[in-house]
Amino acid sequence: MRPTAFLLIRILMSAGLLYLSLRNIAFDAVRARLSDFGFGWFALAILVTLFQIVLSAVRWREVTRRCDAPLDDARAIKFNMIGTFFNQTLPSSIGGDAMRLWLLGRIAGWREATYSVLVDRAMGLIALATIIVCSLPWSYPLITNRDGQVALVVIGSVALAASLGFLLVGALSWPWLKGWWPLRHVHACGEIANKVLFSAKSGPMVAVLSLAIHVLAVVIAWCCAMAIHASVSFWQVFLLIPPIMLITMLPISIAGWGVREASMTVAFGYAGLMTSEGTVVSILFGMVYFIVGAMGGLVWVSSPEKHDKAAAVVPRLD
């Protein structure tokens, strides 16, 4: 009953945040924008999302090699596509990550699969935190609201501190870090992350891929903005989207719905832009990922893994 209760709470959270985001929208103005909807821009956003998934798969492939669970490109892309489908069913990216773990664990081992997914996510968080902090000289003056400025600095600083702390734990060799069950796995993941990032062979590639993946998220949002002819520049979208994506990673709503809309509505308002445009851009952004997720669902339905029940129960890491 507890998982069902948590799921219901998150559905209600998504619905409530969506209501708060939509209640003050001037729907007549939105309808006017949608009457001249740019389907070409929307289609481009879908194509960019598919390319983003490919880059994510290439990064994950590099991480799996350090985890002794190497994946080929085709299988990594396939598993990532299936993950996008399950991202639409659970909070944040939990569903997709759990599915990637299960798919890889069947063929490479559960510990290796778990570490690869966690480290892959860590690479994304490190890159996102870096973008947010490095953009502060431009994003801080863009946000005219004092509370928004403080929130922006806190969000970026906390994310970067958590990322550096994770890498630091992996670099330390204190025996007690390997003795306590939770820290043992955190230390192991941090150790792998350091090997991935600071390797002359994989480091530059993973760093560039991680940054590019987040830049593509900005491009997707900008395409959605262009589809409704929103009065926002690419540079403004570049400064606003990374903090919103970081907030959306919080597992408190289904597939980020509601959290993303509320965050983007507030961010657009703080930047002196039309809040209604921010809400509509966010909804279109979510629809893009929903459509790509549906494509991932087709991949899942037609895959042999769907019918394989041999490893339905995941054993503990130790």
Side-chain angles (χ1 to χ4, degrees):
M1 291 296 295
R2 186 175 295 177
T4 302
F6 280 130
L7 179 61
L8 180 60
I9 290 171
R10 284 161 179 149
I11 291 174
L12 293 175
M13 180 77 73
S14 295
L17 290 171
L18 277 172
Y19 168 74
L20 292 175
S21 301
L22 295 172
R23 64 176 180 171
N24 294 322
I25 284 185
F27 286 100
D28 290 338
V30 172
R31 278 194 293 269
R33 293 293 182 94
L34 294 178
S35 64
D36 190 25
F37 186 72
F39 287 98
W41 284 108
F42 191 71
L44 180 59
I46 294 174
L47 292 176
V48 173
T49 305
L50 292 170
F51 182 54
Q52 184 189 49
I53 290 172
V54 172
L55 293 189
S56 298
V58 174
R59 183 184 68 188
W60 186 31
R61 181 205 65 192
E62 289 299 311
V63 173
T64 59
R65 289 178 177 175
R66 288 289 181 175
C67 297
D68 298 321
L71 271 175
D72 57 79
D73 287 334
R75 187 171 280 177
I77 293 171
K78 177 183 177 181
F79 289 176
N80 261 21
M81 281 296 297
I82 293 173
T84 60
F85 170 66
F86 285 91
N87 275 342
Q88 301 300 317
T89 62
L90 287 172
S92 187
S93 58
I94 290 176
D97 286 348
M99 200 61 202
R100 289 196 298 152
L101 190 160
W102 184 80
L103 290 167
L104 180 58
R106 293 167 55 255
I107 59 177
W110 300 110
R111 183 190 298 270
E112 292 79 4
T114 302
Y115 286 176
S116 75
V117 171
L118 292 176
V119 172
D120 182 58
R121 279 296 165 192
M123 294 297 102
L125 176 61
I126 292 168
L128 187 57
T130 301
I131 291 173
I132 294 171
V133 172
C134 291
S135 301
L136 279 176
W138 299 274
S139 58
Y140 189 86
L142 176 65
I143 303 298
T144 56
N145 181 280
R146 179 62 180 173
D147 292 337
Q149 291 175 333
V150 172
L152 182 65
V153 173
V154 170
I155 288 171
S157 301
V158 169
L160 187 60
S163 301
L164 294 177
F166 174 71
L167 293 175
L168 178 61
V169 169
L172 297 174
S173 57
W174 296 338
W176 62 271
L177 288 174
K178 302 178 182 180
W180 190 33
W181 185 86
L183 278 180
R184 181 167 73 247
H185 297 299
V186 173
H187 177 268
C189 289
E191 205 169 28
I192 295 169
N194 277 287
K195 291 178 181 177
V196 170
L197 270 182
F198 300 114
S199 164
K201 184 177 180 180
S202 63
M205 176 186 291
V206 169
V208 170
L209 286 171
S210 298
L211 294 172
I213 289 165
H214 292 305
V215 171
L216 288 179
V218 174
V219 173
I220 295 164
W222 185 69
C223 288
C224 292
M226 293 300 96
I228 62 168
H229 312 288
S231 53
V232 59
S233 68
F234 180 82
W235 180 241
Q236 289 171 320
V237 174
F238 181 85
L239 295 176
L240 293 175
I241 291 300
I244 293 171
M245 297 306 298
L246 184 60
I247 295 171
T248 306
M249 291 172 68
L250 295 173
I252 58 176
S253 68
I254 302 300
W257 284 100
V259 175
R260 180 179 55 246
E261 284 67 41
S263 301
M264 199 171 296
T265 300
V266 171
F268 267 55
Y270 283 172
L273 302 168
M274 292 180 62
T275 56
S276 59
E277 289 183 346
T279 305
V280 176
V281 168
S282 181
I283 291 173
L284 292 175
F285 188 90
M287 289 177 62
V288 167
Y289 279 95
F290 182 83
I291 291 171
V292 174
M295 296 178 186
L298 294 176
V299 175
W300 167 242
V301 169
S302 61
S303 68
E305 289 85 359
K306 182 178 185 299
H307 308 288
D308 186 358
K309 305 298 183 182
V313 178
V314 179
R316 293 176 59 181
L317 292 180
D318 57 355

